[in-house]
Amino acid sequence: MIELTGGKQPLTVSNPVIAAAGTVGFNSEYTRLIDMSKLGAMVTNPVTWKPRRAATGTRVVPLDSGILVHTGLPNDGAHRVFRANAAYWKMSPCPIIVHLAATSTDEIGKCAKVLDMRDGVAAIEIGLSDTATHRDVRLMIAAVLANTELPILVRLPLYSAPLLAAAAEEAGAGAIVVAAPPRGTARDPLTGQMIGGRVYGPWLKPLAIRAVGQIVSMVKIPVIGCGGIHNPDDAREFLAAGARAVQVDSVTWVRPDMTEIIARNLGGLELTRVAGALADEWHPGLGETAALRSQLIVSPPPIAPPTDLPR
Amino acid sequence: MIELTGGKQPLTVSNPVIAAAGTVGFNSEYTRLIDMSKLGAMVTNPVTWKPRRAATGTRVVPLDSGILVHTGLPNDGAHRVFRANAAYWKMSPCPIIVHLAATSTDEIGKCAKVLDMRDGVAAIEIGLSDTATHRDVRLMIAAVLANTELPILVRLPLYSAPLLAAAAEEAGAGAIVVAAPPRGTARDPLTGQMIGGRVYGPWLKPLAIRAVGQIVSMVKIPVIGCGGIHNPDDAREFLAAGARAVQVDSVTWVRPDMTEIIARNLGGLELTRVAGALADEWHPGLGETAALRSQLIVSPPPIAPPTDLPR
Amino acid sequence: MRLEVWRCTLGSMKDAQAIIERVRRMSAALQRLDIAVDSAQRSVAPGQHFLARLTESWDPYLREPWIPIRQQGNSLTIERPTGRNYQPGEVVHLLGPVGKPIPLRDSTRTLLLIAYDSTPASLLMLAEQALAARTSVTMVLVGAAQGYAMEALPPELEVLRGDDKGEWPEQRANFGWADQIVAVAPPPHDVTRYGRLLEAVRKVRVEIPQGYLIGLFQPPMPCGIGACQACMIRCQNGQSLACIDGPAMDLLDVALG
Amino acid sequence: MRLEVWRCTLGSMKDAQAIIERVRRMSAALQRLDIAVDSAQRSVAPGQHFLARLTESWDPYLREPWIPIRQQGNSLTIERPTGRNYQPGEVVHLLGPVGKPIPLRDSTRTLLLIAYDSTPASLLMLAEQALAARTSVTMVLVGAAQGYAMEALPPELEVLRGDDKGEWPEQRANFGWADQIVAVAPPPHDVTRYGRLLEAVRKVRVEIPQGYLIGLFQPPMPCGIGACQACMIRCQNGQSLACIDGPAMDLLDVALG
Ligand SMILES: Cc1cc2nc3c(=O)[nH]c(=O)nc-3n(C[C@H](O)[C@H](O)[C@H](O)COP(=O)(O)OP(=O)(O)OC[C@H]3O[C@@H](n4cnc5c(N)ncnc54)[C@H](O)[C@@H]3O)c2cc1C
Ligand SMILES: Cc1cc2nc3c(=O)[nH]c(=O)nc-3n(C[C@H](O)[C@H](O)[C@H](O)COP(=O)(O)OP(=O)(O)OC[C@H]3O[C@@H](n4cnc5c(N)ncnc54)[C@H](O)[C@@H]3O)c2cc1C
Ligand SMILES: Cc1cc2nc3c(=O)[nH]c(=O)nc-3n(C[C@H](O)[C@H](O)[C@H](O)COP(=O)(O)O)c2cc1C
Ligand SMILES: Cc1cc2nc3c(=O)[nH]c(=O)nc-3n(C[C@H](O)[C@H](O)[C@H](O)COP(=O)(O)O)c2cc1C
Ligand code: FES
Ligand code: FES
């Protein structure tokens, strides 16, 4: 087990791979494509105290090797979101971490209070605005701490993460998530307008890993790496840089199977790499297609199929 | 003509497309592949007062859609660099902007003083370290201003550019370049080591454009956009965001022709898009290859070949 | 409202591999691909589509929407622009079916289909199924949609043409005649187009019943599964996800303002 | 030092298109491509290579090094690992020739080539040209290089095998016999390998003349043209660029410490 947060009541997870806020929804959306029980946890989409409507206009701009998304953090407000998802959170195959957008100390405090009384919520992740200051970090964490005993993760913006990390630790965060996706501006090919939004892609990885490396030497609480992970090796690079765990983001949208593969790989559950099949799906001959055979010539099977298949 | 810098002696260029520092060398390296006279200017690789040796160990890590480079700013020191390149700078087909790395006020001041007396240098670009503060910005600019009448461009780090822009303007910068490539960390596939360095790729563009958009509303001096430009439309997005001109970076390495195409396009010199030939290379029948024909079916020739070809 | 159909198609969503078996050029702008698909993806209904990925590279990053226009045995026919070359034998990752079937009312005997400025591909399966069920179907190609290859349309279909403003001579008659209307307009002008359509229909029909006037919403879909919230449609009464609740939306429910 | 040759090859650098004409599988790990190249790129000399780009996508981003092993008429033969499928007819962007020819001394009648842990591809053109000029050539395949397909080597070549430590039984004899030695070791272990080689040669030859012991440096090359400074080699006396001054470096000049 991995202690994901410090503090009195640490959150422990069985796998270091977590689905990041904003990528897997509030509920069971991905259970149809991903075995969520293989993940260490899932972070919900952001929740605010008051309901928020979707942004108008363009909300997606395709980028070279990535995507810009501008949703406007739509959600039905804390009460309705918690009510609508309570049943699933209780029976979820992996721990649920609820992401609260740090709109104001008052509102985030109220959200935390409501969550504190709910079963099925393993922790709270605080999401800060890109312009958050030391003071914002301290006040938001204090507001949440005052209203819940739940472990608290704080997700810091990429650019300012090294500047804010120590403040988050001092204020009582149980773990730091490095980092939220940065914001960018790109031209919408359909309307010709310049659109601002969060940007995602594999290229986020070196930027986030650098920030992780800087921050692990500053704080004692666990650091959770996030940004641009697209395969198991990417995730391992974050661990090598000092992260305790990782959050997988936009790859889930474009290659949902990859999120499970990453979790299985880091959890030691990937046994039959050659055929690309799951351990419990493997049977003799599975890897014998022509396409797979041609790959084999380049790199021979690293290990023999296990005689004892884990469930 | 485009006024690239403010101030008494503005630097004017004939094309808004400039080759960025660190990408085209100190001298005529790319004249064999690019018609440099089509560019607005070229910025040299960084120069320091004292000679610097190349970094040891891994200096290049291929990334998804990009590259991490860690050179260690190697150069023979201001005196030798200036002497070795003086002849070319004087006869260069485009204005030369010399990039000075801001190692210390003393050293950068001495570099500026030597440059001030040289023919063939159109301007100085100051390169700041990633951790530069307001104070560093002010002191470095002051040190250069005290030693030269040359126009001064200041290239700001991506993450802190919006925070430092006003300070650069106040201190007397003639223009702001937004932004220097950010630093990242990635695993070298050959050695397995984690390597830190500058990162480049098309995905830099939305991040840099956002910073440009923020900064043009803060300062009155020209802003020059830089980061991830890989085709003419990318460059136009920077102009749409308020940039006066653009610097083209790593695409020059992987598609040198593209740098010229971008300059020609933004300079109104791209006339025969269909055959992909230069205006002065066009002749009847040039576009008649099978490959080109198949493209034509999708999008018919936008314009007829010009009857009067510009030189 | 055919809820049981929706449930069951939601349940069958999969990310599976398919193989391109045949590539036919239909016109200068269009080609059709016959693809052999996983059994779970065969039972796709009009309105549903797939998110396709053809490369292991991350550029392009997003999956592209592949709209089936016909289903036959193991294979689906997909319509694509001619920009890219597809090879028979090529393997493609398909995620789907995405979305719900277009809710055709049982009482519909006369069906009006309108394609604004886009290929009518997402209406073709519906048209063929309706024609096979002896429903009279009229298709109006409006604006840029007029360039669509006529040969690619079923011969039994009545085809009309509308101008760039979205009007055509038989418009009022059509609105009076149709038991149900299904329109497709591409983003970013979908809401504007549908707003004008609703206005125009209101001039002919005093009362528009629930489920009578359907618009298809096809914004870019990063996830296709209801998670990323990028495909939200603002409704009179909250918001809906195009990938889960759509693409077919009752235009009376949508905030067209 | 054949300066005029270098000048003229520097001058001929180009970014041009080439067409793959033939693809032959040589072994489980190797394939050879015959490519038709631009006339300016035909006159490539042993040691020079090209930077190739096969896709319009930005992933992969960097060009890959293509090392010619033979030149015949319009076409070059390139050796590549079997991981990727190449198609006859495929067009490839080639930038080059990159670097300078390996400076073979006029007096060389016996040539020792050593490939450490890598394909000897970058020595093959040199070997064939030297053999054609009636020079005796011995090639030592060291460490992982031992797996190289023997059938792919010219039959007149004497081939020896060295162990993972870089040693082989005939080593001392070879060093005494050779008029010149050219070695290739891939990064990141090139400097270490060459350092040990220099030491071993010193044990046999008291005095090593300038230009006698050559090592090829093949770090990743983003630009290949001397601009990015990523391919620098630390020398006794300053620094050199592998893409401009290399790949062949006199090991006496390089800082092997
Ligand atoms: C028409 C057709 C016929 C085929 N016939 C055969 C056949 O006869 N034999 C055969 O072996 N294959 C066959 N395949 C391929 C087969 O369907 C699978 O796609 C293949 O076994 C997995 O390859 P992949 O890595 O591309 O799959 P992916 O799409 O990458 O993965 C498929 C599933 O396996 C999981 N997974 C993949 N890799 C791992 C891993 N290393 N560890 C844990 N979980 C993992 C993923 O989460 C996902 O759920 C065929 C494919 C097609 C289209
Ligand atoms: C074997 C072979 C035979 C060929 N035969 C023919 C032939 O018969 N007829 C023919 O037309 N082509 C032919 N081509 C293609 C031709 O060589 C050129 O490559 C083509 O005309 C340019 O296409 P491109 O856009 O890919 O070139 P690029 O590599 O993109 O550009 C080539 C040069 O043109 C410049 N350039 C490109 N586009 C523009 C633009 N829009 N504006 C300004 N400058 C630009 C670039 O700076 C560069 O210097 C052949 C190619 C091969 C490999
Ligand atoms: C009031 C406010 C609160 C925010 N809180 C969060 C948050 O909790 N989590 C987060 O990821 N981003 C947060 N952000 C900052 C993000 O940069 C961005 O606004 C959010 O991800 C929505 O982006 P989009 O509307 O472009 O999709 C917040 C922004 C604002 C204005
Ligand atoms: C003393 C010092 C001065 C710097 N000056 C510059 C500069 O002038 N231009 C620049 O692009 N980067 C400058 N940087 C910061 C860069 O982030 C980085 O160090 C430089 O680009 C070299 O990166 P590399 O060694 O990883 O290739 C400077 C860094 C230091 C330590
Ligand atoms: S596409 Fe992601 S929620 Fe609809
Ligand atoms: S590869 Fe760029 S300088 Fe040698």
Side-chain angles (χ1 to χ4, degrees):
Chain A
M1 298 298 279
I2 297 157
E3 282 202 5
L4 206 59
T5 60
K8 278 164 285 174
Q9 297 193 347
L11 170 62
T12 56
V13 293
S14 59
N15 186 298
V17 179
I18 300 168
T23 61
V24 291
F26 295 106
N27 197 294
S28 59
E29 285 83 350
Y30 268 107
T31 50
R32 282 178 284 159
L33 297 180
I34 299 175
D35 178 352
M36 302 294 285
S37 74
K38 296 293 182 283
L39 302 186
M42 109 170 206
V43 188
T44 67
N45 280 5
V47 186
T48 50
W49 182 248
K50 292 187 204 131
R52 284 174 66 101
R53 303 203 74 179
T56 53
T58 303
R59 275 161 286 165
V60 176
V61 181
L63 305 175
D64 289 307
S65 298
I67 176 180
L68 181 148
V69 196
H70 168 58
T71 60
L73 297 176
N75 74 92
D76 290 337
H79 270 296
R80 275 205 258 170
V81 171
F82 299 162
R83 209 172 325 119
N85 298 294
Y88 178 72
W89 292 355
K90 265 188 233 171
M91 54 160 244
S92 162
C94 66
I96 296 286
I97 301 172
V98 176
H99 185 97
L100 298 180
T103 48
S104 75
T105 51
D106 176 48
E107 291 184 351
I108 201 170
K110 285 193 279 190
C111 288
K113 188 164 205 154
V114 179
L115 281 181
D116 192 54
M117 294 176 289
R118 292 230 167 246
D119 276 355
V121 176
I124 288 174
E125 180 178 279
I126 302 179
L128 295 157
S129 105
D130 271 334
T131 52
T133 60
H134 286 94
R135 191 165 167 276
D136 297 332
V137 171
R138 277 196 305 271
L139 293 179
M140 294 296 174
I141 294 175
V144 174
L145 275 176
N147 286 287
T148 182
E149 304 265 291
L150 287 169
I152 298 176
L153 291 68
V154 178
R155 186 164 79 156
L156 298 175
L158 175 65
Y159 292 3
S160 52
L163 304 173
L164 300 176
E169 180 177 39
E170 275 165 40
I176 298 175
V177 181
V178 178
R183 294 183 74 80
T185 302
R187 194 192 292 280
D188 173 18
L190 296 179
T191 62
Q193 284 171 325
M194 302 296 284
I195 305 293
R198 296 167 276 153
V199 287
Y200 290 99
W203 43 268
L204 256 179
K205 183 187 57 158
L207 305 181
I209 291 183
R210 174 163 205 269
V212 166
Q214 292 176 313
I215 290 170
V216 290
S217 65
M218 297 176 184
V219 300
K220 293 214 181 69
I221 53 176
V223 173
I224 300 167
C226 178
I229 292 173
H230 280 67
N231 60 49
D233 286 342
D234 290 349
R236 288 178 189 284
E237 287 186 27
F238 276 90
L239 302 187
R244 175 79 56 95
V246 294
Q247 291 186 355
V248 173
D249 52 23
S250 59
V251 75
T252 305
W253 300 336
V254 293
R255 281 287 307 272
D257 59 323
M258 192 49 82
T259 299
E260 186 178 332
I261 290 172
I262 296 167
R264 284 173 176 265
N265 182 302
L266 270 73
L269 296 173
E270 190 193 44
L271 292 164
T272 57
R273 193 86 203 82
V274 173
L278 303 182
D280 48 5
E281 283 169 0
W282 186 88
H283 60 81
L286 177 68
E288 314 249 326
T289 47
L292 297 169
R293 221 180 300 127
S294 80
Q295 285 175 16
L296 287 188
I297 296 175
V298 189
S299 54
I303 44 162
T307 48
D308 200 357
L309 295 175
R311 243 274 59 130
Chain B
M1 299 298 280
I2 298 157
E3 283 202 6
L4 205 58
T5 60
K8 277 165 287 175
Q9 296 192 350
L11 170 63
T12 57
V13 294
S14 59
N15 186 297
V17 179
I18 300 169
T23 62
V24 292
F26 295 106
N27 197 293
S28 58
E29 286 83 349
Y30 269 107
T31 50
R32 282 178 284 158
L33 296 179
I34 299 174
D35 179 352
M36 301 295 285
S37 74
K38 297 292 183 283
L39 301 187
M42 108 170 205
V43 188
T44 68
N45 280 9
V47 185
T48 51
W49 182 248
K50 293 187 204 130
R52 283 174 66 101
R53 303 202 75 178
T56 52
T58 303
R59 275 161 286 166
V60 175
V61 182
L63 305 175
D64 290 305
S65 297
I67 175 179
L68 180 149
V69 196
H70 168 59
T71 60
L73 297 177
N75 74 93
D76 291 336
H79 270 296
R80 275 206 259 170
V81 170
F82 300 163
R83 209 169 328 117
N85 299 293
Y88 178 73
W89 291 354
K90 264 189 231 171
M91 54 162 244
S92 162
C94 67
I96 297 287
I97 300 172
V98 176
H99 184 96
L100 298 180
T103 49
S104 75
T105 51
D106 175 50
E107 291 185 351
I108 201 170
K110 286 194 281 189
C111 288
K113 186 164 207 157
V114 180
L115 281 180
D116 192 55
M117 294 176 291
R118 294 229 165 245
D119 276 357
V121 176
I124 289 173
E125 179 178 280
I126 302 179
L128 294 157
S129 106
D130 272 331
T131 52
T133 60
H134 286 95
R135 190 163 169 277
D136 297 332
V137 171
R138 277 196 305 272
L139 292 179
M140 294 294 174
I141 295 175
V144 175
L145 275 176
N147 285 286
T148 183
E149 305 264 289
L150 287 169
I152 298 175
L153 291 70
V154 178
R155 186 164 78 154
L156 297 176
L158 175 65
Y159 292 2
S160 52
L163 305 173
L164 300 176
E169 179 176 41
E170 275 165 37
I176 298 174
V177 181
V178 178
R183 294 183 74 77
T185 303
R187 193 192 292 278
D188 173 19
L190 296 178
T191 62
Q193 285 171 323
M194 302 296 284
I195 304 293
R198 297 168 274 152
V199 287
Y200 290 99
W203 43 268
L204 255 179
K205 183 186 58 159
L207 304 181
I209 290 182
R210 178 174 148 84
V212 166
Q214 292 175 312
I215 291 170
V216 289
S217 66
M218 296 176 185
V219 299
K220 295 214 178 68
I221 54 175
V223 172
I224 300 166
C226 179
I229 292 173
H230 280 68
N231 60 49
D233 286 342
D234 290 348
R236 288 179 189 285
E237 286 185 28
F238 276 90
L239 302 186
R244 176 78 56 93
V246 294
Q247 291 186 355
V248 173
D249 53 22
S250 59
V251 74
T252 306
W253 300 336
V254 292
R255 282 287 306 272
D257 58 322
M258 191 49 82
T259 300
E260 186 177 331
I261 289 172
I262 295 167
R264 284 173 178 265
N265 183 302
L266 270 72
L269 296 173
E270 190 192 44
L271 292 164
T272 56
R273 195 84 201 82
V274 174
L278 304 181
D280 48 5
E281 285 169 358
W282 186 89
H283 61 79
L286 177 68
E288 314 248 324
T289 48
L292 297 169
R293 221 179 300 127
S294 79
Q295 285 175 18
L296 287 187
I297 296 176
V298 188
S299 54
I303 46 164
T307 48
D308 201 358
L309 295 176
R311 245 279 50 138
Chain C
M1 287 283 266
R2 302 192 185 186
L3 242 179
E4 62 300 344
V5 178
W6 297 357
R7 237 344 104 68
C8 109
T9 49
L10 271 181
S12 75
M13 167 172 275
K14 233 188 134 169
D15 184 13
Q17 288 173 307
I19 290 185
I20 298 177
E21 293 191 322
R22 204 165 143 209
V23 181
R24 277 167 303 165
R25 188 157 201 125
M26 301 301 290
S27 71
L30 283 183
Q31 55 189 331
R32 288 190 177 170
L33 318 179
D34 291 342
I35 55 174
V37 297
D38 187 283
S39 57
Q41 297 183 323
R42 251 169 246 161
S43 55
V44 58
Q48 297 184 309
H49 73 281
F50 295 94
L51 292 173
R53 195 169 172 85
L54 283 119
T55 158
E56 293 301 307
S57 154
W58 298 117
D59 178 20
Y61 192 70
L62 289 184
R63 288 172 177 246
E64 48 189 42
W66 277 26
I67 298 171
I69 59 169
R70 194 170 301 139
Q71 187 258 313
Q72 218 158 17
N74 283 353
S75 90
L76 296 178
T77 304
I78 304 284
E79 196 165 284
R80 300 293 305 154
T82 42
R84 185 196 195 278
N85 276 329
Y86 300 93
Q87 302 288 342
E90 221 175 323
V91 169
V92 45
H93 289 255
L94 285 190
L95 190 152
V98 172
K100 291 179 181 153
I102 298 170
L104 205 57
R105 302 198 298 176
D106 292 337
S107 57
T108 295
R109 289 290 158 264
T110 51
L111 177 63
L112 180 64
L113 305 177
I114 312 174
Y116 291 102
D117 295 331
S118 68
T119 143
S122 42
L123 300 174
L124 287 187
M125 199 188 244
L126 181 67
E128 288 202 0
Q129 290 191 4
L131 287 168
R134 296 176 184 279
T135 304
S136 302
V137 186
T138 295
M139 163 94 73
V140 193
L141 302 175
V142 175
Q146 292 178 78
Y148 190 76
M150 291 300 291
E151 318 82 72
L153 294 171
E156 315 90 284
L157 195 66
E158 188 192 11
V159 181
L160 304 173
R161 287 159 190 286
D163 63 20
D164 287 351
K165 284 199 213 113
E167 281 162 20
W168 64 99
E170 307 83 347
Q171 182 169 330
R172 289 185 62 91
N174 287 158
F175 292 161
W177 161 84
D179 289 339
Q180 195 173 1
I181 304 178
V182 183
V184 59
H189 303 299
D190 42 9
V191 168
T192 324
R193 280 291 194 194
Y194 295 145
R196 291 216 202 104
L197 174 63
L198 179 61
E199 235 171 78
V201 175
R202 272 200 211 284
K203 281 187 193 142
V204 178
R205 292 188 167 255
V206 189
E207 200 180 318
I208 299 179
Q210 199 70 26
Y212 174 79
L213 184 56
I214 304 284
L216 303 188
F217 285 81
Q218 306 176 323
M221 295 188 186
C223 77
I225 201 166
C228 73
Q229 299 180 294
C231 67
M232 271 199 170
I233 307 163
R234 285 171 168 247
C235 292
Q236 304 292 355
N237 200 345
Q239 24 204 15
S240 294
L241 292 170
C243 71
I244 294 291
D245 309 304
M249 300 292 296
D250 187 331
L251 293 184
L252 293 178
D253 294 343
V254 178
L256 296 173
Chain D
M1 289 285 266
R2 303 194 182 182
L3 241 178
E4 63 297 345
V5 178
W6 298 354
R7 234 349 100 66
C8 108
T9 49
L10 272 181
S12 75
M13 167 173 274
K14 235 187 132 169
D15 184 12
Q17 288 172 307
I19 290 185
I20 298 176
E21 293 190 323
R22 204 165 143 209
V23 181
R24 276 166 305 165
R25 188 160 199 121
M26 302 299 291
S27 69
L30 283 183
Q31 54 189 333
R32 286 190 177 171
L33 318 179
D34 291 342
I35 56 173
V37 298
D38 188 283
S39 56
Q41 296 183 323
R42 252 171 247 161
S43 54
V44 58
Q48 296 184 312
H49 73 281
F50 295 94
L51 291 172
R53 196 171 170 83
L54 283 120
T55 158
E56 294 301 308
S57 155
W58 298 117
D59 178 19
Y61 192 71
L62 289 183
R63 288 172 178 247
E64 49 189 42
W66 278 26
I67 298 172
I69 59 168
R70 194 171 300 140
Q71 187 257 314
Q72 217 158 16
N74 282 353
S75 90
L76 297 178
T77 304
I78 305 284
E79 196 165 286
R80 299 292 307 155
T82 43
R84 186 196 194 279
N85 276 330
Y86 299 93
Q87 302 287 345
E90 222 176 320
V91 170
V92 45
H93 289 255
L94 285 190
L95 190 152
V98 172
K100 290 177 182 153
I102 298 170
L104 205 57
R105 302 197 299 176
D106 292 336
S107 57
T108 295
R109 288 290 158 267
T110 52
L111 178 63
L112 180 64
L113 305 177
I114 312 174
Y116 290 101
D117 294 330
S118 68
T119 144
S122 42
L123 300 173
L124 287 187
M125 199 187 241
L126 181 67
E128 288 202 359
Q129 291 190 2
L131 287 168
R134 296 176 184 277
T135 304
S136 303
V137 186
T138 295
M139 164 94 72
V140 192
L141 302 175
V142 175
Q146 292 179 77
Y148 190 75
M150 292 299 293
E151 319 81 71
L153 294 172
E156 317 90 283
L157 194 66
E158 188 192 10
V159 181
L160 303 173
R161 288 159 190 287
D163 63 19
D164 286 352
K165 283 199 215 113
E167 281 161 21
W168 62 100
E170 308 84 348
Q171 185 170 328
R172 288 184 63 91
N174 288 159
F175 293 162
W177 161 84
D179 290 339
Q180 195 172 1
I181 304 177
V182 182
V184 59
H189 303 300
D190 42 8
V191 169
T192 322
R193 280 291 193 191
Y194 295 146
R196 289 214 204 107
L197 174 62
L198 179 60
E199 234 170 79
V201 175
R202 272 199 213 286
K203 282 189 192 144
V204 179
R205 293 188 165 256
V206 190
E207 201 180 316
I208 299 179
Q210 199 70 27
Y212 174 78
L213 182 57
I214 304 284
L216 303 188
F217 285 82
Q218 305 176 323
M221 296 188 184
C223 76
I225 201 166
C228 73
Q229 300 180 294
C231 67
M232 272 200 170
I233 307 164
R234 285 170 167 246
C235 292
Q236 303 293 353
N237 200 344
Q239 25 204 15
S240 294
L241 293 169
C243 71
I244 295 291
D245 309 303
M249 300 292 295
D250 187 332
L251 292 184
L252 293 178
D253 294 343
V254 177
L256 296 174

